[in-house]
Amino acid sequence: MRANLRLAILAACLATLAPELAAAQNQPPAQRQTGTFTPGEIVGEGHKFFGTVSRGLAQVVEAAFSRWGQPNGYVLGQEGGGAFIVGLRYGDGKLYTKNAGDRRVFWEGPSAGFDAGGEGARTMMLVYNLPATGAIYQRFAGIDGSAYFIGGFGMTALASGNIIVVPIRSGVGLRLGANIGYLKFTPQATWNPF
């Protein structure tokens, strides 16, 4: 009964966010703006963070830049999650911007779908159209499983209004399937994914 209630809440939340995700997916790449990061900067930080010089990371970053343009922020952190039809994901990291300062962030979120397994990952999230660092503290909806993998890195897209968050993950574990869900960013760690 509780699982059905959680699924109903998740479905209602995602139904309200679905138009925003569709609109964000169809946005043209932004041109270079003050306060954004270049592909070279993101790849360089990614190489330091993931501890590898990987062609796969450069290809995933290139795909994100060709689709959404240059981000005005990025998050470096780690996360863990698991699922058996209904899943949870928890993570923490730091949001970096060029001209608005840096900020510690935590994220958590539920998912539902044809999904099973567990994973742990180092995660870099590219953030687009962030008007202020505090705007990261909200829910971002997306479809996981639409991710594709290049050189051991996976990429998905989550959206809320005009703000797009693109998690790039490289981790260990086994998690197969597809699901819908959201990530909720918070300033403090919490166990409540809703």
Side-chain angles (χ1 to χ4, degrees):
M1 182 70 173
R2 246 184 163 178
N4 290 338
L5 178 61
R6 287 183 179 152
L7 286 174
I9 292 169
L10 177 62
C13 290
L14 290 175
T16 61
L17 295 172
E20 295 172 356
L21 179 61
Q25 292 283 344
N26 295 323
Q27 287 182 351
Q31 298 299 315
R32 173 73 172 161
Q33 299 174 2
T34 304
T36 61
F37 294 92
T38 66
E41 291 171 313
I42 294 295
V43 170
E45 287 300 317
H47 287 320
K48 286 191 267 183
F49 178 68
F50 289 111
T52 181
V53 179
S54 172
R55 195 176 122 222
L57 174 63
Q59 289 175 320
V60 170
V61 168
E62 182 182 318
F65 273 72
S66 70
R67 182 147 192 186
W68 295 287
Q70 295 182 325
N72 63 341
Y74 66 91
V75 175
L76 297 178
Q78 58 277 332
E79 65 181 20
F84 183 75
I85 301 174
V86 176
L88 294 172
R89 182 180 302 275
Y90 293 93
D92 70 283
K94 192 167 187 179
L95 168 67
Y96 296 92
T97 65
K98 278 198 170 181
N99 53 12
D102 303 333
R103 189 173 281 223
R104 182 83 188 264
V105 295
F106 298 87
W107 60 92
E108 52 278 336
S111 62
F114 302 103
D115 189 18
E119 65 182 331
R122 293 190 68 118
T123 303
M124 170 185 263
M125 299 184 189
L126 306 180
V127 184
Y128 295 89
N129 309 317
L130 189 67
T133 55
I136 194 78
Y137 299 128
Q138 60 180 307
R139 286 179 178 84
F140 292 86
I143 300 172
D144 210 356
S146 64
Y148 60 92
F149 293 90
I150 301 175
F153 292 90
M155 179 179 81
T156 58
L158 308 167
S160 178
N162 287 334
I163 304 171
I164 302 169
V165 175
V166 180
I168 300 170
R169 297 180 175 104
S170 176
V172 296
L174 179 61
R175 189 163 172 182
L176 301 172
N179 62 60
I180 57 172
Y182 64 80
L183 289 181
K184 176 182 75 172
F185 288 84
T186 57
Q188 290 93 24
T190 177
W191 288 105
N192 180 4
F194 302 103

